[in-house]
Amino acid sequence: MSIGFIIITLGLVVIVAGLIFLIFKVNFGSFGKKPQMKSGDDDPYNLQAEQAVKAIFNDEFREELRNRGRLHFEKIIGENAMFLQQDLQLTTSELNEYMKQEITAKLQEEFAKYEQSIMDAKDLAIQSINKTQDAIEQQRQMLSKQVVEQLAKDKDRLITNFEQNMAQVINHYVLEAIGSQIDLNDQLDFILSNLEANKKAIIEDIVDGA
Amino acid sequence: MEPKKAREFKLPVSVVTQYDVSKLLLDLENVEDFFLQVKVRRAGNAVNLPAISPQMEDVVRQNDLNLLQASDRERLKFILMTIHTKSPIIHMSFSVSPSQKFLEKIISWMRNNVSEIVILQIGLQPNMGAGFTMRTTNKFFDFSLRQHLNQKRDLLIAELKKRVE
């Protein structure tokens, strides 16, 4: 737009300068010059003709001619300005189109590069994600295996502890439940029978240990 | 080996522990003190008769001893000192504190089958439930219900597994 405006302005300046030159020429050029008297100026016909010419091309007629010329020139200037405006509009539109195409092409090129960069980054990200997923999957499988093994160990340990503790609990319960309920006198036969069964060992230990 | 004099001596079943033997020695010492006081007392001074424990009465009766005789007292002191220091000691533990009558039955068996002058040291282990434990000089015998249940633990676990499965 700024280039079109400059072109229009320069065109108008050139046209105005041309008009000024024409007006100057009309006023101070051939029209303003007095015709050179020829050798026969003193001729009455010539004088009469000259007077008739002066009568015809008087100041009003000259003014009329100036006005007509001014109007004609204004018309020409207007037409030229219109043409110039059309040219400028056409140039501007072409320029706009050109700029649009250039900018579009440039943008498309940049967008293509940008898209390519994005695609490359995407590929890298996908590769990285895939590697990470593979590593996670391997880690998960390893952890899963470890968890299963640990669970199996814990299960065995818990079962073993449960068996031992349960046996202890039952023993403790039985001892607590019936321990104080059995009178020693009722156990006398059991005690004496055990002593009798181990009599030899007791005697040997006492004799040898004495 | 048991001393000869101690072997001929009949230790009554009422004397069960080393504490009982110590108490017999104390009774004997009191009797000696009594006779010493009698010798040195002045006319008109009262002399307190020593208190004799039932175990001492059993000892005197079963061994035909006369504590008025110094020789018998001396012999008894020697025997009791020998028993106190050299008789075999068997440690027995029960879940509850045994009665004297119960201990007499046990010690009777011991003196008839193991040694005539054996004495016991009684312990208390409430967690054994029932039965007893016995420790001689070099051996330990566990006839408690706790030990019996521990020995049968595999059977208990097998039964538990059978019920769970």
Side-chain angles (χ1 to χ4, degrees), chain A residues 156-172, chain B residues 150 153-154 156-157 160:
Chain A
D156 293 340
R157 184 174 53 81
L158 284 174
I159 289 173
T160 305
N161 287 341
F162 173 77
E163 289 173 349
Q164 293 177 350
N165 290 334
M166 180 56 74
Q168 288 180 356
V169 167
I170 292 173
N171 286 355
H172 183 71
Chain B
N150 286 336
R153 193 174 66 180
D154 292 339
L156 175 64
I157 292 172
L160 284 173

mmCIF file with all atom_site columns, all heavy atoms in Angstrom, chain A residues 156-172, chain B residues 150 153-154 156-157 160:
data_model
loop_
_atom_site.group_PDB
_atom_site.id
_atom_site.type_symbol
_atom_site.label_atom_id
_atom_site.label_alt_id
_atom_site.label_comp_id
_atom_site.label_asym_id
_atom_site.label_entity_id
_atom_site.label_seq_id
_atom_site.pdbx_PDB_ins_code
_atom_site.Cartn_x
_atom_site.Cartn_y
_atom_site.Cartn_z
_atom_site.occupancy
_atom_site.B_iso_or_equiv
_atom_site.pdbx_formal_charge
_atom_site.auth_seq_id
_atom_site.auth_comp_id
_atom_site.auth_asym_id
_atom_site.auth_atom_id
_atom_site.pdbx_PDB_model_num
ATOM 1   N N   . ASP A 1 156 ? 4.990  -68.851 52.143 1.00 0.00 ? 156 ASP A N   1
ATOM 2   C CA  . ASP A 1 156 ? 5.595  -69.997 52.838 1.00 0.00 ? 156 ASP A CA  1
ATOM 3   C C   . ASP A 1 156 ? 5.983  -69.618 54.269 1.00 0.00 ? 156 ASP A C   1
ATOM 4   O O   . ASP A 1 156 ? 5.759  -70.391 55.210 1.00 0.00 ? 156 ASP A O   1
ATOM 5   C CB  . ASP A 1 156 ? 6.837  -70.482 52.071 1.00 0.00 ? 156 ASP A CB  1
ATOM 6   C CG  . ASP A 1 156 ? 6.455  -71.074 50.735 1.00 0.00 ? 156 ASP A CG  1
ATOM 7   O OD1 . ASP A 1 156 ? 5.280  -71.449 50.578 1.00 0.00 ? 156 ASP A OD1 1
ATOM 8   O OD2 . ASP A 1 156 ? 7.322  -71.154 49.850 1.00 0.00 ? 156 ASP A OD2 1
ATOM 9   N N   . ARG A 1 157 ? 6.585  -68.407 54.385 1.00 0.00 ? 157 ARG A N   1
ATOM 10  C CA  . ARG A 1 157 ? 7.017  -67.981 55.724 1.00 0.00 ? 157 ARG A CA  1
ATOM 11  C C   . ARG A 1 157 ? 5.818  -67.818 56.650 1.00 0.00 ? 157 ARG A C   1
ATOM 12  O O   . ARG A 1 157 ? 5.844  -68.250 57.809 1.00 0.00 ? 157 ARG A O   1
ATOM 13  C CB  . ARG A 1 157 ? 7.778  -66.655 55.607 1.00 0.00 ? 157 ARG A CB  1
ATOM 14  C CG  . ARG A 1 157 ? 8.348  -66.153 56.909 1.00 0.00 ? 157 ARG A CG  1
ATOM 15  C CD  . ARG A 1 157 ? 9.203  -64.924 56.679 1.00 0.00 ? 157 ARG A CD  1
ATOM 16  N NE  . ARG A 1 157 ? 8.514  -63.893 55.943 1.00 0.00 ? 157 ARG A NE  1
ATOM 17  C CZ  . ARG A 1 157 ? 7.657  -63.044 56.500 1.00 0.00 ? 157 ARG A CZ  1
ATOM 18  N NH1 . ARG A 1 157 ? 7.428  -63.095 57.788 1.00 0.00 ? 157 ARG A NH1 1
ATOM 19  N NH2 . ARG A 1 157 ? 7.056  -62.125 55.771 1.00 0.00 ? 157 ARG A NH2 1
ATOM 20  N N   . LEU A 1 158 ? 4.743  -67.199 56.091 1.00 0.00 ? 158 LEU A N   1
ATOM 21  C CA  . LEU A 1 158 ? 3.552  -66.998 56.921 1.00 0.00 ? 158 LEU A CA  1
ATOM 22  C C   . LEU A 1 158 ? 2.936  -68.328 57.328 1.00 0.00 ? 158 LEU A C   1
ATOM 23  O O   . LEU A 1 158 ? 2.497  -68.499 58.472 1.00 0.00 ? 158 LEU A O   1
ATOM 24  C CB  . LEU A 1 158 ? 2.531  -66.156 56.146 1.00 0.00 ? 158 LEU A CB  1
ATOM 25  C CG  . LEU A 1 158 ? 2.846  -64.668 56.051 1.00 0.00 ? 158 LEU A CG  1
ATOM 26  C CD1 . LEU A 1 158 ? 1.846  -63.973 55.139 1.00 0.00 ? 158 LEU A CD1 1
ATOM 27  C CD2 . LEU A 1 158 ? 2.817  -64.027 57.430 1.00 0.00 ? 158 LEU A CD2 1
ATOM 28  N N   . ILE A 1 159 ? 2.927  -69.252 56.367 1.00 0.00 ? 159 ILE A N   1
ATOM 29  C CA  . ILE A 1 159 ? 2.347  -70.561 56.701 1.00 0.00 ? 159 ILE A CA  1
ATOM 30  C C   . ILE A 1 159 ? 3.181  -71.246 57.773 1.00 0.00 ? 159 ILE A C   1
ATOM 31  O O   . ILE A 1 159 ? 2.640  -71.809 58.734 1.00 0.00 ? 159 ILE A O   1
ATOM 32  C CB  . ILE A 1 159 ? 2.255  -71.427 55.422 1.00 0.00 ? 159 ILE A CB  1
ATOM 33  C CG1 . ILE A 1 159 ? 1.164  -70.874 54.508 1.00 0.00 ? 159 ILE A CG1 1
ATOM 34  C CG2 . ILE A 1 159 ? 1.957  -72.870 55.776 1.00 0.00 ? 159 ILE A CG2 1
ATOM 35  C CD1 . ILE A 1 159 ? 1.100  -71.548 53.162 1.00 0.00 ? 159 ILE A CD1 1
ATOM 36  N N   . THR A 1 160 ? 4.513  -71.166 57.584 1.00 0.00 ? 160 THR A N   1
ATOM 37  C CA  . THR A 1 160 ? 5.395  -71.788 58.585 1.00 0.00 ? 160 THR A CA  1
ATOM 38  C C   . THR A 1 160 ? 5.204  -71.137 59.957 1.00 0.00 ? 160 THR A C   1
ATOM 39  O O   . THR A 1 160 ? 5.047  -71.827 60.982 1.00 0.00 ? 160 THR A O   1
ATOM 40  C CB  . THR A 1 160 ? 6.863  -71.657 58.149 1.00 0.00 ? 160 THR A CB  1
ATOM 41  O OG1 . THR A 1 160 ? 7.000  -72.214 56.847 1.00 0.00 ? 160 THR A OG1 1
ATOM 42  C CG2 . THR A 1 160 ? 7.771  -72.399 59.120 1.00 0.00 ? 160 THR A CG2 1
ATOM 43  N N   . ASN A 1 161 ? 5.208  -69.782 59.933 1.00 0.00 ? 161 ASN A N   1
ATOM 44  C CA  . ASN A 1 161 ? 4.995  -69.075 61.204 1.00 0.00 ? 161 ASN A CA  1
ATOM 45  C C   . ASN A 1 161 ? 3.637  -69.406 61.797 1.00 0.00 ? 161 ASN A C   1
ATOM 46  O O   . ASN A 1 161 ? 3.496  -69.577 63.013 1.00 0.00 ? 161 ASN A O   1
ATOM 47  C CB  . ASN A 1 161 ? 5.105  -67.561 60.989 1.00 0.00 ? 161 ASN A CB  1
ATOM 48  C CG  . ASN A 1 161 ? 6.533  -67.135 60.765 1.00 0.00 ? 161 ASN A CG  1
ATOM 49  O OD1 . ASN A 1 161 ? 7.455  -67.867 61.100 1.00 0.00 ? 161 ASN A OD1 1
ATOM 50  N ND2 . ASN A 1 161 ? 6.727  -65.962 60.194 1.00 0.00 ? 161 ASN A ND2 1
ATOM 51  N N   . PHE A 1 162 ? 2.642  -69.468 60.902 1.00 0.00 ? 162 PHE A N   1
ATOM 52  C CA  . PHE A 1 162 ? 1.305  -69.775 61.394 1.00 0.00 ? 162 PHE A CA  1
ATOM 53  C C   . PHE A 1 162 ? 1.277  -71.155 62.046 1.00 0.00 ? 162 PHE A C   1
ATOM 54  O O   . PHE A 1 162 ? 0.713  -71.328 63.129 1.00 0.00 ? 162 PHE A O   1
ATOM 55  C CB  . PHE A 1 162 ? 0.314  -69.728 60.230 1.00 0.00 ? 162 PHE A CB  1
ATOM 56  C CG  . PHE A 1 162 ? -1.064 -70.203 60.598 1.00 0.00 ? 162 PHE A CG  1
ATOM 57  C CD1 . PHE A 1 162 ? -1.922 -69.393 61.311 1.00 0.00 ? 162 PHE A CD1 1
ATOM 58  C CD2 . PHE A 1 162 ? -1.484 -71.470 60.237 1.00 0.00 ? 162 PHE A CD2 1
ATOM 59  C CE1 . PHE A 1 162 ? -3.177 -69.830 61.652 1.00 0.00 ? 162 PHE A CE1 1
ATOM 60  C CE2 . PHE A 1 162 ? -2.737 -71.925 60.575 1.00 0.00 ? 162 PHE A CE2 1
ATOM 61  C CZ  . PHE A 1 162 ? -3.584 -71.096 61.290 1.00 0.00 ? 162 PHE A CZ  1
ATOM 62  N N   . GLU A 1 163 ? 1.901  -72.117 61.379 1.00 0.00 ? 163 GLU A N   1
ATOM 63  C CA  . GLU A 1 163 ? 1.901  -73.464 61.939 1.00 0.00 ? 163 GLU A CA  1
ATOM 64  C C   . GLU A 1 163 ? 2.596  -73.492 63.290 1.00 0.00 ? 163 GLU A C   1
ATOM 65  O O   . GLU A 1 163 ? 2.074  -74.052 64.270 1.00 0.00 ? 163 GLU A O   1
ATOM 66  C CB  . GLU A 1 163 ? 2.592  -74.426 60.967 1.00 0.00 ? 163 GLU A CB  1
ATOM 67  C CG  . GLU A 1 163 ? 1.782  -74.703 59.714 1.00 0.00 ? 163 GLU A CG  1
ATOM 68  C CD  . GLU A 1 163 ? 2.570  -75.519 58.709 1.00 0.00 ? 163 GLU A CD  1
ATOM 69  O OE1 . GLU A 1 163 ? 3.783  -75.676 58.914 1.00 0.00 ? 163 GLU A OE1 1
ATOM 70  O OE2 . GLU A 1 163 ? 1.968  -75.972 57.729 1.00 0.00 ? 163 GLU A OE2 1
ATOM 71  N N   . GLN A 1 164 ? 3.786  -72.852 63.315 1.00 0.00 ? 164 GLN A N   1
ATOM 72  C CA  . GLN A 1 164 ? 4.521  -72.849 64.584 1.00 0.00 ? 164 GLN A CA  1
ATOM 73  C C   . GLN A 1 164 ? 3.766  -72.080 65.658 1.00 0.00 ? 164 GLN A C   1
ATOM 74  O O   . GLN A 1 164 ? 3.604  -72.553 66.796 1.00 0.00 ? 164 GLN A O   1
ATOM 75  C CB  . GLN A 1 164 ? 5.913  -72.243 64.372 1.00 0.00 ? 164 GLN A CB  1
ATOM 76  C CG  . GLN A 1 164 ? 6.806  -73.106 63.494 1.00 0.00 ? 164 GLN A CG  1
ATOM 77  C CD  . GLN A 1 164 ? 8.149  -72.461 63.242 1.00 0.00 ? 164 GLN A CD  1
ATOM 78  O OE1 . GLN A 1 164 ? 8.345  -71.302 63.566 1.00 0.00 ? 164 GLN A OE1 1
ATOM 79  N NE2 . GLN A 1 164 ? 9.056  -73.210 62.657 1.00 0.00 ? 164 GLN A NE2 1
ATOM 80  N N   . ASN A 1 165 ? 3.301  -70.891 65.262 1.00 0.00 ? 165 ASN A N   1
ATOM 81  C CA  . ASN A 1 165 ? 2.608  -70.073 66.262 1.00 0.00 ? 165 ASN A CA  1
ATOM 82  C C   . ASN A 1 165 ? 1.296  -70.722 66.678 1.00 0.00 ? 165 ASN A C   1
ATOM 83  O O   . ASN A 1 165 ? 0.919  -70.653 67.849 1.00 0.00 ? 165 ASN A O   1
ATOM 84  C CB  . ASN A 1 165 ? 2.357  -68.676 65.709 1.00 0.00 ? 165 ASN A CB  1
ATOM 85  C CG  . ASN A 1 165 ? 3.639  -67.895 65.564 1.00 0.00 ? 165 ASN A CG  1
ATOM 86  O OD1 . ASN A 1 165 ? 4.599  -68.153 66.278 1.00 0.00 ? 165 ASN A OD1 1
ATOM 87  N ND2 . ASN A 1 165 ? 3.673  -66.958 64.644 1.00 0.00 ? 165 ASN A ND2 1
ATOM 88  N N   . MET A 1 166 ? 0.612  -71.289 65.690 1.00 0.00 ? 166 MET A N   1
ATOM 89  C CA  . MET A 1 166 ? -0.650 -71.932 66.029 1.00 0.00 ? 166 MET A CA  1
ATOM 90  C C   . MET A 1 166 ? -0.406 -73.085 66.999 1.00 0.00 ? 166 MET A C   1
ATOM 91  O O   . MET A 1 166 ? -1.156 -73.277 67.963 1.00 0.00 ? 166 MET A O   1
ATOM 92  C CB  . MET A 1 166 ? -1.340 -72.432 64.750 1.00 0.00 ? 166 MET A CB  1
ATOM 93  C CG  . MET A 1 166 ? -2.661 -73.122 65.007 1.00 0.00 ? 166 MET A CG  1
ATOM 94  S SD  . MET A 1 166 ? -3.812 -72.075 65.924 1.00 0.00 ? 166 MET A SD  1
ATOM 95  C CE  . MET A 1 166 ? -4.275 -70.929 64.662 1.00 0.00 ? 166 MET A CE  1
ATOM 96  N N   . ALA A 1 167 ? 0.651  -73.847 66.726 1.00 0.00 ? 167 ALA A N   1
ATOM 97  C CA  . ALA A 1 167 ? 0.975  -74.939 67.643 1.00 0.00 ? 167 ALA A CA  1
ATOM 98  C C   . ALA A 1 167 ? 1.294  -74.397 69.024 1.00 0.00 ? 167 ALA A C   1
ATOM 99  O O   . ALA A 1 167 ? 0.818  -74.938 70.044 1.00 0.00 ? 167 ALA A O   1
ATOM 100 C CB  . ALA A 1 167 ? 2.158  -75.739 67.091 1.00 0.00 ? 167 ALA A CB  1
ATOM 101 N N   . GLN A 1 168 ? 2.048  -73.296 69.044 1.00 0.00 ? 168 GLN A N   1
ATOM 102 C CA  . GLN A 1 168 ? 2.367  -72.693 70.342 1.00 0.00 ? 168 GLN A CA  1
ATOM 103 C C   . GLN A 1 168 ? 1.120  -72.157 71.018 1.00 0.00 ? 168 GLN A C   1
ATOM 104 O O   . GLN A 1 168 ? 0.944  -72.286 72.234 1.00 0.00 ? 168 GLN A O   1
ATOM 105 C CB  . GLN A 1 168 ? 3.387  -71.564 70.148 1.00 0.00 ? 168 GLN A CB  1
ATOM 106 C CG  . GLN A 1 168 ? 4.783  -72.070 69.800 1.00 0.00 ? 168 GLN A CG  1
ATOM 107 C CD  . GLN A 1 168 ? 5.770  -70.950 69.623 1.00 0.00 ? 168 GLN A CD  1
ATOM 108 O OE1 . GLN A 1 168 ? 5.403  -69.792 69.694 1.00 0.00 ? 168 GLN A OE1 1
ATOM 109 N NE2 . GLN A 1 168 ? 7.017  -71.303 69.378 1.00 0.00 ? 168 GLN A NE2 1
ATOM 110 N N   . VAL A 1 169 ? 0.254  -71.529 70.199 1.00 0.00 ? 169 VAL A N   1
ATOM 111 C CA  . VAL A 1 169 ? -0.982 -70.973 70.770 1.00 0.00 ? 169 VAL A CA  1
ATOM 112 C C   . VAL A 1 169 ? -1.833 -72.090 71.365 1.00 0.00 ? 169 VAL A C   1
ATOM 113 O O   . VAL A 1 169 ? -2.367 -71.977 72.480 1.00 0.00 ? 169 VAL A O   1
ATOM 114 C CB  . VAL A 1 169 ? -1.756 -70.195 69.682 1.00 0.00 ? 169 VAL A CB  1
ATOM 115 C CG1 . VAL A 1 169 ? -3.167 -69.893 70.144 1.00 0.00 ? 169 VAL A CG1 1
ATOM 116 C CG2 . VAL A 1 169 ? -1.032 -68.903 69.351 1.00 0.00 ? 169 VAL A CG2 1
ATOM 117 N N   . ILE A 1 170 ? -1.950 -73.175 70.597 1.00 0.00 ? 170 ILE A N   1
ATOM 118 C CA  . ILE A 1 170 ? -2.765 -74.284 71.092 1.00 0.00 ? 170 ILE A CA  1
ATOM 119 C C   . ILE A 1 170 ? -2.138 -74.894 72.342 1.00 0.00 ? 170 ILE A C   1
ATOM 120 O O   . ILE A 1 170 ? -2.829 -75.190 73.331 1.00 0.00 ? 170 ILE A O   1
ATOM 121 C CB  . ILE A 1 170 ? -2.940 -75.339 69.980 1.00 0.00 ? 170 ILE A CB  1
ATOM 122 C CG1 . ILE A 1 170 ? -3.809 -74.753 68.873 1.00 0.00 ? 170 ILE A CG1 1
ATOM 123 C CG2 . ILE A 1 170 ? -3.561 -76.605 70.535 1.00 0.00 ? 170 ILE A CG2 1
ATOM 124 C CD1 . ILE A 1 170 ? -3.920 -75.638 67.657 1.00 0.00 ? 170 ILE A CD1 1
ATOM 125 N N   . ASN A 1 171 ? -0.809 -75.062 72.288 1.00 0.00 ? 171 ASN A N   1
ATOM 126 C CA  . ASN A 1 171 ? -0.120 -75.587 73.477 1.00 0.00 ? 171 ASN A CA  1
ATOM 127 C C   . ASN A 1 171 ? -0.358 -74.703 74.682 1.00 0.00 ? 171 ASN A C   1
ATOM 128 O O   . ASN A 1 171 ? -0.677 -75.179 75.773 1.00 0.00 ? 171 ASN A O   1
ATOM 129 C CB  . ASN A 1 171 ? 1.386  -75.695 73.205 1.00 0.00 ? 171 ASN A CB  1
ATOM 130 C CG  . ASN A 1 171 ? 1.712  -76.848 72.285 1.00 0.00 ? 171 ASN A CG  1
ATOM 131 O OD1 . ASN A 1 171 ? 0.823  -77.622 71.932 1.00 0.00 ? 171 ASN A OD1 1
ATOM 132 N ND2 . ASN A 1 171 ? 2.955  -76.959 71.897 1.00 0.00 ? 171 ASN A ND2 1
ATOM 133 N N   . HIS A 1 172 ? -0.181 -73.379 74.428 1.00 0.00 ? 172 HIS A N   1
ATOM 134 C CA  . HIS A 1 172 ? -0.362 -72.433 75.531 1.00 0.00 ? 172 HIS A CA  1
ATOM 135 C C   . HIS A 1 172 ? -1.792 -72.493 76.056 1.00 0.00 ? 172 HIS A C   1
ATOM 136 O O   . HIS A 1 172 ? -2.032 -72.482 77.268 1.00 0.00 ? 172 HIS A O   1
ATOM 137 C CB  . HIS A 1 172 ? -0.029 -71.024 75.046 1.00 0.00 ? 172 HIS A CB  1
ATOM 138 C CG  . HIS A 1 172 ? -0.108 -69.996 76.126 1.00 0.00 ? 172 HIS A CG  1
ATOM 139 N ND1 . HIS A 1 172 ? 0.817  -69.914 77.142 1.00 0.00 ? 172 HIS A ND1 1
ATOM 140 C CD2 . HIS A 1 172 ? -1.008 -69.021 76.368 1.00 0.00 ? 172 HIS A CD2 1
ATOM 141 C CE1 . HIS A 1 172 ? 0.496  -68.929 77.952 1.00 0.00 ? 172 HIS A CE1 1
ATOM 142 N NE2 . HIS A 1 172 ? -0.612 -68.368 77.498 1.00 0.00 ? 172 HIS A NE2 1
ATOM 143 N N   . ASN B 2 150 ? 4.752  -80.408 72.683 1.00 0.00 ? 150 ASN B N   1
ATOM 144 C CA  . ASN B 2 150 ? 5.768  -80.037 71.698 1.00 0.00 ? 150 ASN B CA  1
ATOM 145 C C   . ASN B 2 150 ? 6.182  -81.229 70.848 1.00 0.00 ? 150 ASN B C   1
ATOM 146 O O   . ASN B 2 150 ? 6.421  -81.107 69.645 1.00 0.00 ? 150 ASN B O   1
ATOM 147 C CB  . ASN B 2 150 ? 6.995  -79.440 72.398 1.00 0.00 ? 150 ASN B CB  1
ATOM 148 C CG  . ASN B 2 150 ? 6.732  -78.033 72.899 1.00 0.00 ? 150 ASN B CG  1
ATOM 149 O OD1 . ASN B 2 150 ? 5.859  -77.334 72.381 1.00 0.00 ? 150 ASN B OD1 1
ATOM 150 N ND2 . ASN B 2 150 ? 7.459  -77.617 73.918 1.00 0.00 ? 150 ASN B ND2 1
ATOM 151 N N   . ARG B 2 153 ? 3.718  -81.815 68.119 1.00 0.00 ? 153 ARG B N   1
ATOM 152 C CA  . ARG B 2 153 ? 3.375  -80.638 67.314 1.00 0.00 ? 153 ARG B CA  1
ATOM 153 C C   . ARG B 2 153 ? 3.197  -80.996 65.842 1.00 0.00 ? 153 ARG B C   1
ATOM 154 O O   . ARG B 2 153 ? 2.310  -80.470 65.167 1.00 0.00 ? 153 ARG B O   1
ATOM 155 C CB  . ARG B 2 153 ? 4.462  -79.573 67.450 1.00 0.00 ? 153 ARG B CB  1
ATOM 156 C CG  . ARG B 2 153 ? 4.025  -78.234 66.896 1.00 0.00 ? 153 ARG B CG  1
ATOM 157 C CD  . ARG B 2 153 ? 5.047  -77.168 67.165 1.00 0.00 ? 153 ARG B CD  1
ATOM 158 N NE  . ARG B 2 153 ? 6.294  -77.424 66.453 1.00 0.00 ? 153 ARG B NE  1
ATOM 159 C CZ  . ARG B 2 153 ? 7.363  -76.647 66.513 1.00 0.00 ? 153 ARG B CZ  1
ATOM 160 N NH1 . ARG B 2 153 ? 7.327  -75.575 67.275 1.00 0.00 ? 153 ARG B NH1 1
ATOM 161 N NH2 . ARG B 2 153 ? 8.456  -76.935 65.843 1.00 0.00 ? 153 ARG B NH2 1
ATOM 162 N N   . ASP B 2 154 ? 4.025  -81.889 65.335 1.00 0.00 ? 154 ASP B N   1
ATOM 163 C CA  . ASP B 2 154 ? 3.885  -82.293 63.935 1.00 0.00 ? 154 ASP B CA  1
ATOM 164 C C   . ASP B 2 154 ? 2.516  -82.915 63.684 1.00 0.00 ? 154 ASP B C   1
ATOM 165 O O   . ASP B 2 154 ? 1.882  -82.674 62.654 1.00 0.00 ? 154 ASP B O   1
ATOM 166 C CB  . ASP B 2 154 ? 4.985  -83.278 63.562 1.00 0.00 ? 154 ASP B CB  1
ATOM 167 C CG  . ASP B 2 154 ? 6.351  -82.612 63.560 1.00 0.00 ? 154 ASP B CG  1
ATOM 168 O OD1 . ASP B 2 154 ? 6.393  -81.366 63.447 1.00 0.00 ? 154 ASP B OD1 1
ATOM 169 O OD2 . ASP B 2 154 ? 7.360  -83.325 63.690 1.00 0.00 ? 154 ASP B OD2 1
ATOM 170 N N   . LEU B 2 156 ? -0.131 -82.220 65.372 1.00 0.00 ? 156 LEU B N   1
ATOM 171 C CA  . LEU B 2 156 ? -1.095 -81.121 65.436 1.00 0.00 ? 156 LEU B CA  1
ATOM 172 C C   . LEU B 2 156 ? -1.131 -80.361 64.115 1.00 0.00 ? 156 LEU B C   1
ATOM 173 O O   . LEU B 2 156 ? -2.212 -80.058 63.577 1.00 0.00 ? 156 LEU B O   1
ATOM 174 C CB  . LEU B 2 156 ? -0.715 -80.183 66.585 1.00 0.00 ? 156 LEU B CB  1
ATOM 175 C CG  . LEU B 2 156 ? -1.547 -78.904 66.715 1.00 0.00 ? 156 LEU B CG  1
ATOM 176 C CD1 . LEU B 2 156 ? -2.984 -79.244 67.026 1.00 0.00 ? 156 LEU B CD1 1
ATOM 177 C CD2 . LEU B 2 156 ? -0.969 -78.004 67.798 1.00 0.00 ? 156 LEU B CD2 1
ATOM 178 N N   . ILE B 2 157 ? 0.064  -80.059 63.563 1.00 0.00 ? 157 ILE B N   1
ATOM 179 C CA  . ILE B 2 157 ? 0.118  -79.323 62.294 1.00 0.00 ? 157 ILE B CA  1
ATOM 180 C C   . ILE B 2 157 ? -0.484 -80.149 61.173 1.00 0.00 ? 157 ILE B C   1
ATOM 181 O O   . ILE B 2 157 ? -1.207 -79.636 60.317 1.00 0.00 ? 157 ILE B O   1
ATOM 182 C CB  . ILE B 2 157 ? 1.580  -78.949 61.984 1.00 0.00 ? 157 ILE B CB  1
ATOM 183 C CG1 . ILE B 2 157 ? 2.060  -77.907 63.002 1.00 0.00 ? 157 ILE B CG1 1
ATOM 184 C CG2 . ILE B 2 157 ? 1.715  -78.404 60.577 1.00 0.00 ? 157 ILE B CG2 1
ATOM 185 C CD1 . ILE B 2 157 ? 3.536  -77.606 62.909 1.00 0.00 ? 157 ILE B CD1 1
ATOM 186 N N   . LEU B 2 160 ? -4.124 -79.865 61.512 1.00 0.00 ? 160 LEU B N   1
ATOM 187 C CA  . LEU B 2 160 ? -4.584 -78.542 61.073 1.00 0.00 ? 160 LEU B CA  1
ATOM 188 C C   . LEU B 2 160 ? -4.619 -78.471 59.550 1.00 0.00 ? 160 LEU B C   1
ATOM 189 O O   . LEU B 2 160 ? -5.579 -77.965 58.955 1.00 0.00 ? 160 LEU B O   1
ATOM 190 C CB  . LEU B 2 160 ? -3.658 -77.462 61.631 1.00 0.00 ? 160 LEU B CB  1
ATOM 191 C CG  . LEU B 2 160 ? -3.822 -77.113 63.104 1.00 0.00 ? 160 LEU B CG  1
ATOM 192 C CD1 . LEU B 2 160 ? -2.715 -76.157 63.534 1.00 0.00 ? 160 LEU B CD1 1
ATOM 193 C CD2 . LEU B 2 160 ? -5.169 -76.467 63.343 1.00 0.00 ? 160 LEU B CD2 1
#
